[in-house]
C-alpha cells in the first residue's frame, strides 16, 4: 500500500507543479537558481564596465593619434620649408657665380633647368635698380616691372607665402652692391 501512496504523491506532486500559478513558478525558479542569476547579473555588469572602459581607451588613443599626426605634419612642413630654403640659397650661389662672369646665357640655362625641379613653379631674375624682370621662366614676365616692387629692398633671403605659392626672394650680391634679385616661386603645399 505504501507503494501506491508514494506513486499517488508523485502523481499529485507533478499535478500540483503544473497547476501552480505562474508567479509562484517564477518565484520558485528564482529561489532555486539564486547563484546562477547572481552570476548572470554580475556578468552583465562586468561586460558593460568593460565596454565603457574600451570606449574610453579608444577615444584616448584616437586623441593621441591625432596629436601625433598634427605634430608630425608640423615638423614635416618645417623640414620641407627649410629644405626649399637651402635649395634656393644653393641655386642663388650658382646664379651669382655666372653673373659675376657676366654669362647671362648660362644663367638662363640654370633658371630653365631649375624650374623643372619638383615643386618649382617659376623663377625670375630682377634688376634691383630698375625693378624690371630680366629673365624669367614665364617669358610674358620678361621686360616688365616686378609685381611686388616693395619686396625688392632686402639684404638677405626673404620668404613670402600665399595660399598658392611660396616665394623666396634672394638678393644676389656683388662685391659692394646688389647685382640682381632672384625670385623663386614654389607651389605651396599648404592645406
Amino acid at each position: 500500500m505504501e507503494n501506491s501512496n508514494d506513486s499517488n504523491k508523485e502523481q499529485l506532486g507533478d499535478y500540483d507543479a503544473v497547476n501552480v500559478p505562474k508567479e509562484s513558478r517564477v518565484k520558485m525558479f528564482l529561489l532555486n537558481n539564486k547563484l546562477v542569476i547572481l552570476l548572470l547579473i554580475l556578468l552583465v555588469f562586468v561586460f558593460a564596465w568593460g565596454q565603457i572602459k574600451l570606449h574610453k581607451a579608444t577615444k584616448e588613443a584616437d586623441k593621441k593619434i591625432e596629436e601625433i599626426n598634427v605634430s608630425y605634419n608640423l615638423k614635416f612642413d618645417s623640414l620641407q620649408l627649410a629644405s626649399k630654403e637651402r635649395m634656393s640659397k644653393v641655386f642663388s650661389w650658382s646664379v651669382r657665380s655666372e653673373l659675376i662672369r657676366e654669362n647671362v646665357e648660362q644663367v638662363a640655362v640654370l633658371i630653365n633647368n631649375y624650374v623643372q625641379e619638383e615643386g618649382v613653379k617659376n623663377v625670375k631674375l630682377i634688376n634691383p635698380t630698375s625693378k624690371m624682370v630680366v629673365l624669367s621662366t614665364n617669358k610674358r614676365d620678361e621686360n616688365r616691372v616686378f609685381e611686388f616692387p616693395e619686396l625688392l629692398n632686402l639684404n638677405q633671403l626673404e620668404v613670402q607665402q600665399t595660399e598658392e605659392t611660396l616665394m623666396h626672394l634672394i638678393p644676389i650680391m656683388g662685391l659692394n652692391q646688389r647685382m640682381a634679385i632672384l625670385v623663386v616661386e614654389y607651389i605651396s603645399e599648404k592645406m
Side-chain angles (χ1 to χ4, degrees):
M1 209 52 70
E2 283 183 27
N3 208 1
S4 69
N5 278 341
D6 286 336
S7 66
N8 285 339
K9 282 183 182 177
E10 285 179 18
Q11 287 177 348
L12 286 176
D14 288 341
Y15 179 75
D16 286 341
V18 172
N19 290 332
V20 173
K22 247 185 180 181
E23 294 174 0
S24 297
R25 277 192 273 164
V26 170
K27 284 181 186 176
M28 287 178 60
F29 176 77
L30 291 176
L31 290 174
N32 290 338
N33 298 307
K34 289 182 212 174
L35 181 62
V36 172
I37 293 171
L38 182 65
L39 289 175
L40 284 174
I41 292 172
L42 182 64
L43 180 66
V44 168
F45 280 124
V46 168
F47 180 75
W49 177 77
Q51 288 298 317
I52 291 169
K53 286 296 224 179
L54 179 65
H55 181 68
K56 184 178 177 183
T58 303
K59 282 176 69 175
E60 288 176 6
D62 289 344
K63 184 178 176 183
K64 285 182 182 180
I65 287 171
E66 183 64 29
E67 289 173 0
I68 290 170
N69 282 338
V70 167
S71 173
Y72 170 78
N73 287 336
L74 288 175
K75 287 178 184 178
F76 185 73
D77 289 346
S78 67
L79 286 174
Q80 278 189 323
L81 290 175
S83 173
K84 286 179 180 178
E85 200 169 304
R86 277 192 305 278
M87 282 177 37
S88 294
K89 283 181 182 178
V90 171
F91 178 63
S92 72
W93 297 337
S94 300
V95 171
R96 179 183 184 273
S97 67
E98 294 302 327
L99 284 176
I100 288 174
R101 293 185 198 115
E102 297 180 6
N103 193 353
V104 180
E105 294 83 24
Q106 186 61 32
V107 172
V109 170
L110 287 171
I111 288 174
N112 287 327
N113 285 338
Y114 192 69
V115 81
Q116 294 173 1
E117 292 293 321
E118 184 179 341
V120 178
K121 181 178 179 182
N122 193 6
V123 180
K124 299 174 187 172
L125 188 68
I126 301 168
N127 183 330
T129 54
S130 68
K131 301 187 189 309
M132 298 285 286
V133 178
V134 178
L135 290 173
S136 176
T137 53
N138 186 351
K139 296 302 177 192
R140 288 182 280 152
D141 292 338
E142 287 184 3
N143 299 321
R144 290 188 177 177
V145 177
F146 182 60
E147 61 262 21
F148 306 109
E150 67 278 358
L151 299 176
L152 298 179
N153 296 326
L154 51 110
N155 292 322
Q156 62 183 6
L157 182 133
E158 189 171 318
V159 178
Q160 297 289 322
Q161 186 162 5
T162 64
E163 289 190 24
E164 296 91 28
T165 61
L166 173 70
M167 187 172 16
H168 288 174
L169 298 127
I170 310 154
I172 309 274
M173 303 299 285
L175 294 175
N176 54 5
Q177 66 178 1
R178 275 183 282 168
M179 297 171 62
I181 296 175
L182 185 65
V183 178
V184 181
E185 294 177 25
Y186 295 96
I187 298 168
S188 182
E189 295 170 11
K190 207 178 187 182
M191 300 213 178

